Amino acid sequence: MTSAAANLSRRGALEARRLLDPNLLSSTLSSLLCDCENSNPQLKNAVSVFQQALDSSTSLSSPGNNLIATLVRSKNHELAFSVYRKMLDTNAFINFVSLSGLLECFLRLNRNTNFAFGVLAVMLKRGFAFNVYNLNILLKGFCKNHEFGKALTLLRDMRLNSMAPDVVSYNTVIRGLCEGKELEKALDLAKEMQCSWSLMTCGILVDAFCKDGKMEEAMRLFEEMRVSKGLEPDLVLYTTLIRGFCDCGEVGRAKEVFDEVIEKGLSPSAITYNTLIQGFCKLGEMKEASQMFEFMKERGVSPNVYTYTGLISGLCGVGKTKEALQLLNLMLENGEEPNVVTYNVILTKLCKDGLVGEALEVVEVMKKRGTRPDIIAYNILLGGLCGKGDLEEASKLLCLLVNDRSYPDPDVRSFNALIHGLCEESNLPEALEFYDLLVERLGAADIVTTNILLKGTLKSGDVKKAMELWKQIIVPNPDMYSTLIDGFCKTGMLNVAKGLLCKMRGSKLRPSVYDYNCLLSSLCKEGSLDQAWRLFEEMKRDDSLPDIVSFNIMIDGSLKAGDVESAESLLVEMSQAGLSPDLFTYSKLINRFLKLGYLEEAIGYFDKMVESGFEPDAHICDSVLKYCISQGDSDKLKEVLEKLVEKDIVLDKELTCTVMEYMCSSSTNMEPVKRLLKVANDKEKRDQVGHVV
């Protein structure tokens, strides 16, 4: 066996034996001969000559080398490799051009690197001196396989062995390191370059740092290129920076770079304009996007489908569906055909707005104009129909996707949309029927499907079915545990929920704060405050730091049980944890203290709530004012009314009437009520003016 064959890995050797099968090689050549009958006469001739040599058992050297070169040029890399293996087997002479081409085959076919070294060994054995071009192919292959260590070693060996790497060598490895997210190594290698940077070198590095969101480093490299390296940036490099700033949400700085492009006398391309327009649209800055659109046309650059799609997406994002549809019509009038992405943006917005009928009309327009809706479009429609509760039409549409070949094949998202809709409407039997159809059609559901059905089965109280689904899951994820814990808490099966939480803690998965809160809330509701406290302490020990919801649950549970001291200590602990009471916290404190008969404390928290900038809702105002009335405490009532007037808080009409009746009957000063009515009238006038505007 030759040295090249000996260097093949075991897998490569098995593949080689498969490719050496004379019947397989002959049949492949015959098939290729038919395929290139008219399209590639040069390849047809090379195949014929080689086939004749193969059939007559004559030397394969000349026809083999000619065929390898032709196959490499026509991108038939797999067959070129087969011919090479056949030539090695018959000891045919393989020339330098063929061996160089085989290195390209290694690159294209992701062969084991031993194959590439084997080819180089054959080169040396034949007396050929390989060059930098050959080694650059090898470097590219290493980087493609993420073998960066081998690439750097080869680059170092090239420097030590009088075959100096050129700028292409360095750029190849720098690009590979950047694509492999090894940005610092790429930068270090660029600094080590023994040849001058090219514009491509800087472009590769700037692009990588932009994609990684490191815009300051990208700008530093950009400036270094101009000042230290003496290179003048081109439009591609400027556009890269514009895209980077837009991706980071810094559209202002992107516009500054664009202005520099104009000042330099460069002509921005449609790609440059589109990048900036989309940047404005993502931030909802439609005025600036429209101005750039007009400027683009003034400069003689025709908007393309990507320009219009970006603007339509932006308009949809700020709720301007009508304007988006008008722009779609303008696009059609200007002879620019929307693509399926453009239509899908419109469909998404229409369905989100509940305008599913209009979305269906857009799909018909797509078909008439020759744009075939893809499965994404139909999934959007399915989601829209289910969102409106039109499950019958959604079911019909999914059946069309399943049975009618003129429609795209449904994917798991198609089924998930309908299964979710059916579960939301508590139609579990039909949801399970479509689940069975999903499995029959696609082979298996995904974790989203399972989660939907787990929620649906527990919501309907079908615990048995939920456990059947759970047992089918090989590796449950945190979302699945959360679904079950929440579901079992809602069905009152707290022991099962606690068991799942313990199982989760015993595995590598960590319960979320939401999981703990579900159990805390259920325990407090059923009056198991001691268990809730133990779980609350366990939560802190497990480094699942309680959030505002956790504290609210425990405060409410403590006050419900009459444990005022624990509730107040929780407020202190909340503050120490850097959390501030929210409207829900104050609401629970006020209502619970009122129920306990602690008016002073309730009013105290009412004051704190207002001072913290929260506007008490109708329920809180109702509770406090009616409690004051029930206790006959006119002074407290006036005090609360004064605070409401001071903060411009308006009561509903029913409560205002109740307060007025009480104050009239108790001969209390009506001034606070008059001021309260004035606040209400002033607010009503402001609302009317705002409505007219």
Side-chain angles (χ1 to χ4, degrees):
M1 185 180 281
T2 64
S3 58
N7 283 330
L8 286 168
S9 67
R10 185 163 181 242
R11 181 180 174 187
L14 289 170
E15 178 70 1
R17 284 198 291 274
R18 184 184 71 82
L19 293 167
L20 277 170
D21 184 342
N23 295 325
L24 178 61
L25 182 58
S26 296
S27 63
T28 308
L29 289 171
S30 299
S31 175
L32 184 62
L33 199 57
C34 294
D35 291 342
C36 64
E37 184 70 31
N38 300 313
S39 60
N40 194 335
Q42 188 179 14
L43 178 56
K44 176 190 172 186
N45 182 62
V47 171
S48 297
V49 172
F50 183 80
Q51 187 70 61
Q52 289 171 12
L54 200 61
D55 294 340
S56 61
S57 299
T58 56
S59 173
L60 298 180
S61 296
S62 178
N65 286 317
N66 180 47
L67 181 56
I68 287 175
T70 309
L71 288 168
V72 170
R73 282 196 300 273
S74 61
K75 312 298 182 188
N76 284 289
H77 301 105
E78 187 75 47
L79 191 52
F81 177 69
S82 301
V83 173
Y84 163 68
R85 296 298 309 139
K86 187 64 179 176
M87 290 176 72
L88 278 179
D89 189 51
T90 58
N91 292 318
F93 178 79
I94 305 171
N95 64 25
F96 182 77
V97 174
S98 294
L99 292 169
S100 296
L102 287 164
L103 285 174
E104 187 176 334
C105 291
F106 149 72
L107 177 63
R108 303 294 177 191
L109 296 175
N110 291 322
R111 292 285 171 189
N112 188 291
T113 50
N114 287 336
F115 168 72
F117 285 122
V119 172
L120 292 177
V122 172
M123 281 185 170
L124 291 173
K125 186 177 180 181
R126 296 281 191 265
F128 301 131
F130 45 80
N131 53 34
V132 173
Y133 172 80
N134 301 135
L135 295 180
N136 285 349
I137 292 175
L138 198 56
L139 287 171
K140 193 170 184 179
F142 286 144
C143 291
K144 189 177 180 182
N145 293 338
H146 290 269
E147 297 178 285
F148 302 123
K150 289 182 180 180
L152 290 168
T153 299
L154 178 57
L155 199 63
R156 184 175 61 250
D157 290 343
M158 289 170 70
R159 288 190 300 222
L160 296 174
N161 290 290
S162 70
M163 190 177 290
D166 59 12
V167 70
V168 176
S169 313
Y170 282 104
N171 286 350
T172 297
V173 181
I174 289 169
R175 185 190 299 279
L177 289 167
C178 287
E179 289 175 354
K181 304 297 183 185
E182 301 278 0
L183 270 59
E184 294 305 320
K185 288 183 181 179
L187 194 57
D188 290 341
L189 182 59
K191 292 174 182 177
E192 294 174 15
M193 282 179 67
Q194 296 178 341
C195 51
S196 300
W197 282 22
S198 68
L199 199 57
M200 179 68 74
T201 313
C202 188
I204 293 167
L205 288 166
V206 169
D207 179 64
F209 280 101
C210 284
K211 285 178 178 174
D212 206 42
K214 298 178 178 177
M215 293 309 301
E216 295 308 318
E217 188 64 42
M219 284 301 295
R220 191 191 64 74
L221 281 165
F222 183 76
E223 293 303 326
E224 183 180 346
M225 178 197 77
R226 292 202 288 193
V227 177
S228 304
K229 306 298 181 182
L231 295 170
E232 195 61 35
D234 61 3
L235 181 62
V236 174
L237 197 48
Y238 276 116
T239 303
T240 299
L241 283 173
I242 290 169
R243 188 205 69 230
F245 280 122
C246 286
D247 287 346
C248 292
E250 298 185 63
V251 188
R253 294 187 68 181
K255 180 64 166 57
E256 290 173 9
V257 176
F258 178 84
D259 291 340
E260 186 176 325
V261 171
I262 301 297
E263 290 171 12
K264 291 278 185 183
L266 296 172
S267 298
S269 66
I271 295 173
T272 313
Y273 284 107
N274 291 347
T275 302
L276 195 52
I277 287 170
Q278 288 170 15
F280 284 125
C281 288
K282 283 179 182 176
L283 294 181
E285 298 178 5
M286 296 311 300
K287 181 181 177 181
E288 291 79 359
S290 298
Q291 290 172 347
M292 187 57 61
F293 178 67
E294 294 302 324
F295 184 65
M296 176 184 188
K297 291 189 288 185
E298 288 170 13
R299 299 273 297 188
V301 180
S302 299
N304 57 27
V305 64
Y306 302 104
T307 320
Y308 285 106
T309 302
L311 284 167
I312 288 170
S313 178
L315 288 167
C316 289
V318 295
K320 296 187 176 182
T321 312
K322 182 180 176 181
E323 290 84 347
L325 288 167
Q326 289 171 346
L327 186 56
L328 179 66
N329 290 329
L330 176 64
M331 184 180 181
L332 296 170
E333 289 170 10
N334 291 341
E336 189 65 52
E337 193 63 37
N339 60 22
V340 71
V341 177
T342 319
Y343 284 113
N344 286 349
V345 169
I346 292 284
L347 291 175
T348 300
K349 179 57 178 170
L350 288 172
C351 288
K352 188 177 180 181
D353 291 347
L355 303 171
V356 185
E358 289 81 349
L360 290 166
E361 289 175 10
V362 171
V363 169
E364 290 306 312
V365 171
M366 288 177 73
K367 292 177 180 178
K368 288 176 183 177
R369 298 192 66 86
T371 301
R372 185 173 184 259
D374 59 7
I375 192 58
I376 296 172
Y378 285 109
N379 287 348
I380 294 166
L381 290 176
L382 282 166
L385 288 166
C386 292
K388 283 195 74 177
D390 197 345
L391 299 175
E392 185 177 347
E393 285 302 314
S395 300
K396 289 178 182 177
L397 179 55
L398 184 55
C399 288
L400 280 173
L401 294 173
V402 171
N403 300 315
D404 193 331
R405 291 191 175 183
S406 65
Y407 287 81
D409 291 332
D411 60 15
V412 71
R413 292 181 182 85
S414 316
F415 286 97
N416 286 349
L418 183 54
I419 291 170
H420 179 262
L422 291 165
C423 286
E424 286 294 300
E425 293 294 320
S426 300
N427 190 347
L428 185 61
E430 196 171 344
L432 291 170
E433 284 179 20
F434 277 102
Y435 171 71
D436 291 338
L437 181 59
L438 183 162
V439 174
E440 177 190 325
R441 187 68 187 235
L442 303 179
D446 64 4
I447 57 173
V448 176
T449 323
T450 308
N451 237 2
I452 292 168
L453 284 172
L454 284 172
K455 288 180 183 178
T457 50
L458 289 170
K459 181 182 177 182
S460 67
D462 193 343
V463 176
K464 182 180 177 182
K465 187 62 183 178
M467 294 312 295
E468 284 177 14
L469 287 166
W470 177 253
K471 288 173 183 176
Q472 292 173 16
I473 302 167
I474 300 172
V475 183
N477 66 11
D479 287 341
M480 291 177 180
Y481 273 107
S482 296
T483 298
L484 281 178
I485 289 169
D486 181 50
F488 282 121
C489 283
K490 286 175 179 174
T491 55
M493 300 175 69
L494 297 192
N495 286 335
V496 180
K498 284 187 284 185
L500 284 166
L501 188 78
C502 290
K503 186 176 180 181
M504 197 177 183
R505 286 163 60 189
S507 68
K508 292 181 180 179
L509 301 176
R510 195 168 129 187
S512 66
V513 174
Y514 174 82
D515 299 326
Y516 280 106
N517 288 348
C518 285
L519 262 173
L520 286 173
S521 178
S522 296
L523 288 168
C524 287
K525 281 177 183 175
E526 74 164 20
S528 301
L529 191 59
D530 289 342
Q531 289 187 53
W533 273 109
R534 284 198 295 272
L535 185 63
F536 188 70
E537 294 302 321
E538 286 174 14
M539 183 181 183
K540 291 185 284 186
R541 286 198 298 272
D542 286 347
D543 291 331
S544 294
L545 297 178
D547 61 5
I548 186 69
V549 177
S550 315
F551 279 103
N552 284 345
I553 292 167
M554 295 304 298
I555 288 169
D556 187 49
S558 298
L559 289 173
K560 184 181 176 183
D563 190 351
V564 175
E565 186 179 342
S566 292
E568 291 178 337
S569 69
L570 280 164
L571 282 169
V572 174
E573 188 179 341
M574 184 194 296
S575 176
Q576 291 171 344
L579 298 171
S580 299
D582 61 7
L583 186 61
F584 185 85
T585 317
Y586 285 117
S587 175
K588 286 297 179 183
L589 285 165
I590 292 165
N591 282 308
R592 290 296 181 192
F593 275 118
L594 287 174
K595 285 181 180 179
L596 292 169
Y598 297 160
L599 179 59
E600 289 294 335
E601 287 80 355
I603 296 294
Y605 283 115
F606 184 88
D607 292 345
K608 286 181 182 179
M609 177 181 64
V610 175
E611 288 166 8
S612 299
F614 293 111
E615 182 173 322
D617 58 25
H619 180 69
I620 296 173
C621 291
D622 189 83
S623 298
V624 174
L625 293 173
K626 284 183 177 178
Y627 188 87
C628 291
I629 291 170
S630 70
Q631 298 298 307
D633 197 332
S634 301
D635 292 337
K636 284 294 178 187
L637 182 64
K638 284 172 59 180
E639 184 184 326
V640 173
L641 288 173
E642 291 287 351
K643 293 181 189 301
L644 294 175
V645 170
E646 186 182 326
K647 296 292 181 180
D648 283 347
I649 295 169
V650 179
L651 301 181
D652 62 49
K653 290 180 181 178
E654 184 182 343
L655 183 57
T656 304
C657 289
T658 302
V659 172
M660 288 177 67
E661 287 175 7
Y662 169 76
M663 297 189 79
C664 287
S665 65
S666 61
S667 303
T668 306
N669 185 355
M670 294 294 291
E671 187 60 32
V673 179
K674 291 177 183 178
R675 291 171 60 194
L676 196 65
L677 288 171
K678 185 177 183 303
V679 169
N681 289 331
D682 291 345
K683 184 178 186 301
E684 188 174 350
K685 288 177 183 177
R686 288 196 301 271
D687 290 343
Q688 288 174 350
V689 171
H691 181 69
V692 171
V693 173

